[in-house]
Amino acid sequence: MAETPWLPHNEAEPTVQLVLPDGSENTDTQWDHYRNLVKDVDAATWRTWYRDMALMRRFDEEATALQRTGELALFTQARGQEAAQIGSVHATRAQDWIFPAYREHGVLQVRGVPLKEELHLFRGVDHGGWDTEKHHVHLNTLVISAHTLHATGYAMGIQRDGLVATGDPDTDAAVMVYFGDGATSEGDTSEALNFAAVNQAPVVFFCQNNQWAISVPGTRQYRGPLVRRGAGFGVPCVRVDGNDVLAVHAVTREAMERARNGGGPTFIEAVTFRQGAHTTSDDPTRYRGTDEEQYWSQRDPVERVVARLRAMGAWDERFHTEVTHEADEFAAELRTYVRSLGRPASSAMFDHVYATPHAINQTERDWFAGFERDLADGEGGH
Amino acid sequence: MAEQRIPLAKAINAALEAALSADPKVLLMGEDIGPLGGVFRVTADLATKFGEDRVVDTPLAESGIVGTAIGLALRGYRPVCEIQFDGFIFPAFDQITTQLAKLHARSRGRLTVPVVIRVPYGGGIGAVEHHSESPEALFAHTAGLRVVSPANPADAFVMLQEAIACPDPVLFFEPKGQYWAKGDVDLSAGPYATGQSVATQFDTLNTAKVVREGTDVTLIGYGPTVVTALKVAQSAAAEGTSIEVIDLRAISPIDFPTLIESVQKTGRCVVVHEAPVFFGAGAEIAARLTQECFYHLEAPVARVGGFHTPYPPAKIEHDYLPGLERVMDAIDSVLAY
Ligand SMILES: Cc1ncc(C[n+]2csc(CCOP(=O)(O)OP(=O)(O)O)c2C)c(N)n1
C-alpha cells in the first residue's frame, strides 16, 4: 500500500469491514458479530442499495452540472460518500428521525425527501423548507454541529413520550444525526454527546469522516482517533469502513436497535472520502494531492457494490441498463424542475418570521408593499 | 510613497503581511486560512511566507479560536482571528462578549487583550443562508469592543494595521462584496508598514471620513454601503441635489463630532447600512443627531437598511438590501420637509 500520511489514525484503529474493495467477502473472524447481524441481506437488497447509490451519484453529477451552468448558486458535493449514507439510512425505520447536515443527499433521497426540493436552498429561492413531518427528516443545518444538540433533544423527547423500549418494533424510535469530521471540533458536538449519554437518549451520532473539512485534513483537526471520542462520555463507539455499504449497514443497524431498545446513544465513525470539492466554490487542488485521490478512487463505494453483485452472480447488464435509464430520467426531471423554479415574490421574506402578529414585521411589510407599488407606478422616479 | 492599485482583499492581505513581518508576536488563526488562503483567499500565500505556526489552520471551532486567542493575548501575542463568515461568529459570541470585551475592565486595567477578529460580512453575493449577514450592532452594543469596517482598500490597509496594533479588542468587519473592488493604496502607510510597530494613535479606528462634500443632505454609510452612497450622491447631483457622503469607518466608537458638523451644515441626514434598521447602528446615530442637532434639523433623520427578517434567499436579497432606489427614496423623504 502506498504511503498514506493523510490517514494517520487509520492503521491502528480496528475498523469494521465486511466487503473488501475488490468486492470479495472479508473473512476476518473478528467481524463475525457484524456479519451475523446482516445475514438477511440478500441479492435484492444489494440491488436496492446499488440503485440508491447510483441515483445519489447521478444527483451529484447533475446538481454539479446545474451549478456550472449557473442554475444553482452552490452545491455541496457528496461523491464518494454513497455507501456511508445509503448503508446507514437503510437502517432507519419509518418512525425514526434524521437530522442531516448539508451533504446528506442520499439520506434525504431514501427517506423520500424530493431532492429537487433540497435544491431550492442551493438555487437561492428559499431556505429549504421541505415537509419535515412527512419524511421524518429535519431541515439541513449549515451552522456546523448545531443540529447535533437538536437531534439529542429530539431523542430526549421521544424517550419522554415513552416510545423507546416498548418491545414493539414498529413503535420504538430513535434519531440519527449526520455530521462531518470537522464538526467534531465544535463544542456543540461534545455537549450533544454528553447530554445524550447522561440521558441515555435514543440517538446515533453518525460521523462521516470524509478526511477533509474544506481544506483542513484530519491531522490538523484532531489528535486522538475520532472513534474514541464517545468513550469519555460513556457513549459506545464503532469505526467502520464507510465505503463498505454492508459494514456501514451492520454497525448502524446495531446502533439504532440499541437506541430504540433503550440502550442509549452510539457514536459511529464512518471512514470515507469526499471525492469532489467541498462545494462547487472550492478548489481541492489547492490543498490535496492526486495520490490521495487515487488511493480513494481504488476504494470507490459504488464500484465495490458492483463488484460485490458480480461476485454474487447478481449483476447483469439488464439491471445496469434499467438503473442507468432511471437515473437519466431522474436527472432530466431535475434539470427541468430546477430551471422552471422562478424567483419568489420579494414579499416572501416577511413571511413566517413570527407565528403570531408582530407589529414591526407588519409595518415593514406594509411599507415595502407601498414602496414596490410606487416603483411600479414610476413614482420612485429614479 | 509606494502607491498601488489593488483590491480590498489584497490590501487586507498586505496589512496582515506587514504586521506579521514587523512583529513576531502577531499570528493569524482561523479555519482554512493556511494552505488554502481562506475561502476568500484573503490570507493567500501567508502560510508559505510565514509558516503554518504563524498562519494557523485551527480546528473547526469558533469559540475555540477566540477563546484560545484570548489566552494567547494574555501571554503577549497578538492574534488576528478570521471567522469564515458573518453567520458563523455566534459559537464565539460568549467568548467575545463575556470575556474578550470585559477583561481589561475586570482586571482594573491591568490586562489588555489585543485580539482582532476579522469577519467577512454583508450580502449581495448570491450565497446561501448564514453567509450574508451584518451582525455588527450586536458587538457595538457590547462595551469593551471596538467595531470597525473599512469601505475601500486604502482604509482597509491602514485600519487593519491599527486594529492589530491597538491594545483593545477589535471586531474588524470586512465588506465581502467589495473584496475585489480596487483602489489606490499607499503601501507605506500604517503602524507596521512605517516600521513603528508600537502605535499610539489609532486615527482610523476612531474617526469617520467625509468622502464627498455636499450641502443639502448628509448621507452616512459604512462598509458595503459607502459605494451605494457615493452612487446616490452622483445621481442626485445630476438632479441638482448636493449630498455629503460620510464613511463612518468606526461603528464603536462613532465619530459624532464629524457627523454633527456635517448635519449642522446640511440640516438633513440619511443613514444606510445592510444590517436591519430595527435596533441597528442607524438608530443610535439618529437618536444622537436628534439630540445634538435638534435646532439644525429640517427633517427627521431617515434610516435605510435591511428588514426585520432573516436574511432572505439569494434570489430576492437585492430587495432586502438598501439599494439605490431605497436610498434615493429616503433622500427625497428628508428633502420633502
Ligand atoms: C459554525 C460554522 N463555522 C464554519 C462554517 C463554514 N464551514 C462550512 S462547511 C465547513 C467544513 C465542515 O467540515 P466537516 O464537518 O468535516 O463536514 P464536511 O463538509 O466535510 O461534510 C466549514 C468550516 C460553518 N458552516 N459553520
Side-chain angles (χ1 to χ4, degrees), chain A residues 6-192:
Chain A
W6 56 86
L7 292 178
H9 313 307
N10 254 18
E11 318 310 326
E13 293 303 312
T15 305
V16 181
Q17 186 189 53
L18 301 179
V19 177
L20 297 169
D22 67 3
S24 62
E25 273 186 84
N26 182 2
T27 51
D28 189 336
T29 54
Q30 72 169 314
W31 307 127
D32 282 351
H33 166 71
Y34 291 103
R35 194 169 298 110
N36 289 331
L37 284 179
V38 287
K39 269 203 178 123
D40 59 322
V41 172
D42 57 10
T45 306
W46 273 102
R47 283 172 170 237
T48 303
W49 290 349
Y50 170 75
R51 172 189 168 273
D52 289 342
M53 290 166 70
L55 287 181
M56 177 177 162
R57 183 159 288 190
R58 188 54 169 270
F59 175 72
D60 220 70
E61 287 163 359
E62 197 54 44
T64 301
L66 283 166
Q67 192 280 333
R68 299 288 180 238
T69 54
E71 299 290 344
L72 298 177
L74 184 84
F75 180 65
T76 51
Q77 300 173 312
R79 188 188 175 94
Q81 297 178 218
E82 290 87 353
Q85 295 190 13
I86 302 301
S88 59
V89 69
H90 273 293
T92 64
R93 299 210 186 113
Q95 71 270 23
D96 295 329
W97 271 81
I98 310 269
F99 282 66
Y102 45 76
R103 206 186 290 285
E104 279 65 65
H105 317 303
V107 174
L108 268 50
Q109 167 202 323
V110 171
R111 293 296 298 199
V113 176
L115 286 184
K116 54 191 186 185
E117 282 187 33
E118 195 199 12
L119 293 183
H120 289 201
L121 170 83
F122 296 112
R123 189 167 166 88
V125 297
D126 62 38
H127 292 316
W130 58 73
D131 185 346
T132 54
E133 278 300 327
K134 187 166 166 196
H135 311 288
H136 284 208
V137 179
H138 187 63
L139 303 179
N140 280 346
T141 300
L142 269 52
V143 179
I144 299 296
S145 183
H147 63 306
T148 56
L149 283 162
H150 310 159
T152 302
Y154 202 92
M156 287 156 58
I158 287 176
Q159 190 180 32
R160 280 162 188 268
D161 288 345
L163 299 177
V164 173
T166 66
D168 175 2
D170 294 325
T171 298
D172 291 342
V175 177
M176 184 138 63
V177 55
Y178 289 89
F179 54 97
D181 40 293
T184 62
S185 295
E186 291 281 7
D188 280 1
T189 306
S190 293
E191 293 177 27

